[in-house]
Amino acid sequence: MNQLSVVLPPPYHPPVPVSLAGKPPAHLRETTQERLPFTVRVVSNQTDLAKAVSIRAEAYGRHMPEFAEKLRTPEALDIEPGVIVLLAESKLDGAPLGTLRIQSNAYMPLKVEQSVSLPIWLRDRPLVEGSRLGIVGGSIGRLVKMVLIKATLIYCENEGIDWAIVAARSPLDKQYDQMMFEDLYPEQGFIPMRHGNNIPHRVLGFEIDTGHDRLVQANHPMLKFMRFTNHPDIDVQIDRNVNWGELFPAPSALRAAPPLGRRPV
């Protein structure tokens, strides 16, 4: 077992309150509405899933062509309980522009747990893992990527999720650093993923409950887009009687506290 998983991380020290001068300008804190040239929704049928799989394989093919051939058909995990697949679809012609898979640990361990043991302070907590991010190339792809990340965080808030976790290879890990994801194994860095052809990845997490405040306190460059812009074209609502967070016991006082030291942007 990973030794880091049985050692409690450093105690969390709340940020020192900032003065008004350190807060984002008022115009950034006013919520506005913005329409996108595409929609993001949860895959609900085989046609949707086929579109998501096609853009997934295309995206992986640009960097990992041999592995991409294995992604031309849906994976078993795509249709497991507690798993959703997001699809970004062009309003103009319905073409798939991006996809991301979100797995909850409500029914089974996260995929990343095949390669690492989660830190003890994350065990038995409602978590999701984002994986199989695939987007079209060009400037529209960069926008799609950010909207898919935003959609994931909205989904987590709706579902009572504590942490969103990703495993990212270089240089893709930097985009999560920029979004204030935190390294769950900072002393190990890149870890070979046994479930991913032993390709080294960093395992990073984003604490949902403190995410808004951390972005505000950092006056993050994506603050307006992520927190103070309403995007009606994002729809991640799931018709269920309970959310995933309600399936887990309440954490102890020790484990409820954010455990990692916070870094500036």
Side-chain angles (χ1 to χ4, degrees):
M1 179 180 293
N2 190 318
Q3 290 185 347
L4 290 179
S5 67
V6 297
V7 178
L8 284 174
Y12 171 64
H13 299 290
V16 176
V18 296
S19 66
L20 185 60
K23 294 182 179 180
H27 73 277
L28 292 182
R29 289 180 275 128
E30 296 174 355
T31 300
T32 57
Q33 181 170 293
E34 181 179 64
R35 285 290 182 176
L36 300 166
F38 55 88
T39 61
V40 172
R41 56 189 172 84
V42 178
V43 161
S44 61
N45 53 54
Q46 290 299 318
T47 301
D48 290 348
L49 183 57
K51 285 187 172 185
V53 168
S54 70
I55 193 65
R56 176 192 294 173
E58 177 186 324
Y60 274 77
R62 294 195 294 268
H63 308 285
M64 306 170 67
E66 292 184 5
F67 182 60
E69 289 301 314
K70 301 177 182 179
L71 300 179
R72 296 196 178 279
T73 57
E75 297 180 287
L77 187 60
D78 291 332
I79 57 174
E80 289 286 352
V83 176
I84 67 167
V85 177
L86 299 181
L87 172 66
E89 191 175 51
S90 169
K91 289 182 179 179
L92 179 64
D93 57 8
L97 301 177
T99 183
L100 177 70
R101 184 171 65 205
I102 305 175
Q103 179 202 355
S104 162
N105 64 339
Y107 293 99
M108 66 182 74
L110 300 178
K111 191 80 169 177
V112 72
E113 293 185 71
Q114 296 179 18
S115 298
V116 297
S117 296
L118 290 179
I120 193 168
W121 45 270
L122 277 181
R123 296 178 193 171
D124 301 321
R125 303 308 310 136
L127 312 171
V128 299
E129 179 183 356
S131 63
R132 294 295 185 256
L133 173 64
I135 55 173
V136 294
S139 59
I140 187 64
R142 292 191 289 273
L143 175 60
V144 170
K145 176 175 63 179
M146 295 312 302
V147 173
L148 286 170
I149 292 175
K150 177 174 180 174
T152 300
L153 300 182
I154 292 173
Y155 176 80
C156 290
E157 291 175 344
N158 292 345
E159 293 296 325
I161 300 300
D162 282 4
W163 285 75
I165 295 172
V166 297
R169 57 185 173 81
S170 179
L172 302 181
D173 60 311
K174 299 303 181 186
Q175 67 190 6
Y176 294 105
D177 282 333
Q178 293 166 1
M179 285 307 303
M180 301 188 74
F181 279 67
E182 301 169 88
D183 203 326
L184 299 183
Y185 305 93
E187 295 183 7
Q188 289 185 271
F190 288 91
I191 304 171
M193 295 288 107
R194 290 193 294 272
H195 70 289
N197 295 330
N198 283 317
I199 297 173
H201 287 61
R202 287 171 63 205
V203 182
L204 304 112
F206 188 94
E207 186 180 38
I208 303 302
D209 188 53
T210 63
H212 176 88
D213 288 344
R214 288 187 288 119
L215 291 170
V216 169
Q217 290 163 356
N219 199 11
H220 194 280
M222 293 297 293
L223 175 63
K224 176 66 175 175
F225 179 86
M226 297 295 291
R227 302 305 302 177
F228 294 107
T229 303
N230 176 32
H231 290 108
D233 296 304
I234 299 175
D235 183 7
V236 291
Q237 292 291 334
I238 303 293
D239 187 14
R240 288 196 280 276
N241 292 329
V242 298
N243 64 36
W244 298 136
E246 294 174 350
L247 301 179
F248 292 80
S252 66
L254 175 63
R255 293 174 63 185
L260 295 177
R262 304 301 185 191
R263 300 190 311 271
V265 179

